[in-house]
Amino acid sequence: MIKKCLFPAAGYGTRFLPATKAMPKEMLPILNKPLIQYGVEEAYDAGCDVMAIITGRGKRAITDHFDISYELEHQIKGTSKEAMLNDIRKLIDECTFTYTRQNEMKGLGDAILKGRVLVGESDPFAVVLADDLCINPDGEGVLRQMINIHNKFRCSIVAIMEVPDEEVHKYGIISGREIEDGVYMVEDMVEKPDNDKAPSNLAIIGRYILTADIFEIIENTKPGKNGEVQITDALLTQAKRGMVLAYKFKGKRFDCGSVEGFVEATNYFYNNILKKCK
Ligand code: G1P
């Protein structure tokens, strides 16, 4: 059973400056809900109840968001506004939120390694990059789909999608053999390759299931692309030692780390979710 989910959330969010000068990028809202809450809800719906967040300087708003605000709740008690806090209150009541800081920006691999103290050394765990907002209007959420596959194969899993050739340089790219519908046995994995050097156009998006031996592998992984410790490199080592799967998820993913993707998600949620609820 996967109960713990790690949220690397220490990045600066420079693509959203000046909005992210004093506010964590994970708190940017799609409609009225911050990005990180969408990620926490996806993890909760997948069966996780420990949310382990890797923060950094200037990220206090995240900690406050996942805590009770007594004054506010007292103020709106008995009014029509009260219901607007129902979803977040449920998460606060039913999940444990734990935090540690990544003091230096040394890459996603390093951020995940910092999470070792929060998720422990023995159980597999999930990782959600809140910038990647995923939904599946037709069924189970992306993390739940991945946990189902993990329960069958018991190894690390990355979520993938096909991207246009000119966009491969923005992602970790995998290549492998399809062993069942949409499930690939990873043979190669490259972090942000040049467009003409990519092994395929199957791009990793911000959803991972990792087995705990990944920590020892990350510790022994040298800095790679951009001088940072890359989870992609550690996963390639793990694939060579044993097995890593890549899963072409069912659903939609919005790249909310870019202004274009953020606007696309906003329009989608407004037209397809909010309007239908009214
Ligand atoms: C990270 C990973 C990359 C992955 C991407 C998904 O990159 O390093 O392999 O494809 O997330 O969003 P980042 O976008 O943080 O630079």
Side-chain angles (χ1 to χ4, degrees):
M1 287 278 275
I2 294 186
K3 305 297 287 177
K4 296 173 187 168
C5 186
L6 206 60
F7 295 84
Y12 296 128
T14 47
R15 276 186 280 178
F16 280 90
L17 285 170
T20 48
K21 188 163 172 271
M23 182 178 78
K25 63 172 175 164
E26 295 77 12
M27 291 301 293
L28 290 171
I30 298 296
L31 307 185
N32 59 344
K33 194 189 288 183
L35 276 173
I36 192 158
Q37 189 179 332
Y38 287 94
V40 168
E41 286 176 354
E42 185 185 332
Y44 177 74
D45 289 342
C48 297
D49 60 6
V50 174
M51 307 298 168
I53 304 180
I54 314 296
T55 65
R57 288 179 292 284
K59 301 275 187 171
R60 250 198 64 186
I62 298 177
T63 325
D64 287 340
H65 186 70
F66 294 109
D67 197 358
I68 294 167
S69 173
Y70 286 104
E71 299 84 348
L72 176 65
E73 292 192 20
H74 176 74
Q75 195 73 34
I76 63 176
K77 202 172 171 52
T79 75
S80 58
K81 301 264 167 57
E82 204 176 3
M84 295 177 84
L85 291 178
N86 284 354
D87 290 352
I88 181 72
R89 187 63 204 242
K90 183 168 181 227
L91 293 174
I92 294 167
D93 288 345
E94 300 198 4
C95 302
T96 303
F97 290 85
T98 63
Y99 300 88
T100 190
R101 283 190 177 203
Q102 184 188 23
N103 311 104
E104 291 175 279
M105 295 300 112
K106 293 200 284 193
L108 180 57
D110 178 69
I112 291 174
L113 184 57
K114 290 280 179 299
R116 168 150 67 177
V117 60
L118 303 179
V119 300
E121 305 260 359
S122 47
D123 300 328
F125 57 95
V127 177
V128 166
L129 307 185
D131 282 0
D132 280 339
L133 177 48
C134 294
I135 60 157
N136 181 17
D138 305 320
E140 293 180 322
V142 175
L143 213 52
R144 165 75 74 178
Q145 295 169 38
M146 295 172 76
I147 290 177
N148 291 343
I149 294 173
H150 172 82
N151 289 343
K152 184 168 169 193
F153 292 97
R154 306 271 158 203
C155 64
S156 291
I157 301 172
V158 296
I160 51 165
M161 62 184 266
E162 278 178 39
V163 298
D165 292 345
E166 61 276 14
E167 285 186 22
V168 290
H169 68 276
K170 297 185 189 165
Y171 299 93
I173 302 290
I174 72 110
S175 67
R177 190 164 52 83
E178 194 166 8
I179 56 168
E180 59 179 60
D181 194 25
V183 180
Y184 297 76
M185 175 107 69
V186 170
E187 284 162 1
D188 197 9
M189 224 175 198
V190 194
E191 179 66 9
K192 304 195 177 95
D194 292 340
N195 286 351
D196 55 347
K197 295 209 181 78
S200 78
N201 65 343
L202 296 175
I204 303 169
I205 61 127
R207 297 289 181 281
Y208 304 77
I209 303 293
L210 300 175
T211 53
D213 57 316
I214 199 72
F215 291 128
E216 173 268 314
I217 299 176
I218 298 173
E219 268 179 331
N220 292 300
T221 300
K222 298 210 163 53
K225 189 83 183 181
N226 302 328
E228 296 179 337
V229 178
Q230 300 294 349
I231 189 63
T232 307
D233 296 340
L235 280 163
L236 180 60
T237 305
Q238 200 180 37
K240 285 182 175 159
R241 278 190 194 173
M243 178 163 92
V244 170
L245 296 177
Y247 167 63
K248 214 188 255 184
F249 67 93
K250 296 186 177 67
K252 284 176 92 58
R253 169 259 184 185
F254 299 95
D255 172 16
C256 295
S258 75
V259 174
E260 296 75 16
F262 190 88
V263 172
E264 205 190 316
T266 303
N267 288 333
Y268 181 88
F269 276 75
Y270 182 70
N271 290 317
N272 295 282
I273 313 279
L274 191 71
K275 272 190 182 168
K276 284 189 183 143
C277 294
K278 279 187 174 169

